[in-house]
C-alpha cells in the first residue's frame, strides 16, 4: 500500500510539472483495474474523468470537442498497456 502512495505522489507531481509548463496530461488505454485505482487517487482527482479515457480515439474526440487546442494547451496523451 505504501508503494502505491509513493507512485501516486510521483505521478501527481509529474502532472503538476507538466501543467506548469502548459502541457495537459491525458491518459488513454487504461485497463479497468488501473483506471479504477487512478480514479480514486490524487492524480485522478486532478485529471477528472475528462482526461482519462478507455481508448485514444475517445480521448482525441473529447479533446477536440472541448476546444483545448484553441486554449494553447498541448496534450500529452499516454497509452498504458497494463
Amino acid at each position: 500500500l505504501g508503494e502505491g502512495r509513493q507512485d501516486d505522489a510521483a505521478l501527481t507531481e509529474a502532472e503538476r510539472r507538466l501543467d506548469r509548463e502548459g502541457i495537459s496530461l491525458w491518459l488513454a488505454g487504461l485497463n479497468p483495474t488501473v483506471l479504477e485505482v487512478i480514479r480514486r487517487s490524487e492524480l485522478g482527482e486532478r485529471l477528472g474523468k475528462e482526461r482519462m479515457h478507455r481508448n485514444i480515439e475517445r480521448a482525441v474526440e473529447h479533446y477536440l470537442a472541448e476546444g483545448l487546442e484553441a486554449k494553447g494547451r498541448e496534450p500529452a496523451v499516454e497509452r498504458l498497456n497494463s
Side-chain angles (χ1 to χ4, degrees):
L1 186 64
E3 274 185 33
R5 288 188 187 141
Q6 289 175 337
D7 291 343
D8 180 41
L11 289 171
T12 301
E13 181 55 32
E15 189 276 335
R16 284 187 180 117
R17 280 194 309 267
L18 290 170
D19 187 58
R20 285 191 299 265
E21 294 175 20
I23 299 170
S24 181
L25 176 69
W26 290 52
L27 302 176
L30 300 171
N31 75 40
T33 303
V34 172
L35 179 59
E36 189 54 38
V37 169
I38 292 175
R39 280 185 177 152
R40 291 180 286 162
S41 72
E42 182 181 354
L43 177 62
E45 290 175 23
R46 289 184 57 82
L47 296 178
K49 67 179 185 176
E50 297 81 16
R51 294 192 284 158
M52 291 186 285
H53 297 274
R54 279 184 271 161
N55 60 54
I56 192 84
E57 292 80 13
R58 286 190 181 244
V60 170
E61 286 172 9
H62 189 128
Y63 174 82
L64 294 174
E66 291 294 313
L68 294 176
E69 193 171 73
K71 294 179 183 176
R73 305 284 291 194
E74 295 180 33
V77 180
E78 181 70 27
R79 181 180 290 242
L80 301 177
N81 296 315
S82 336

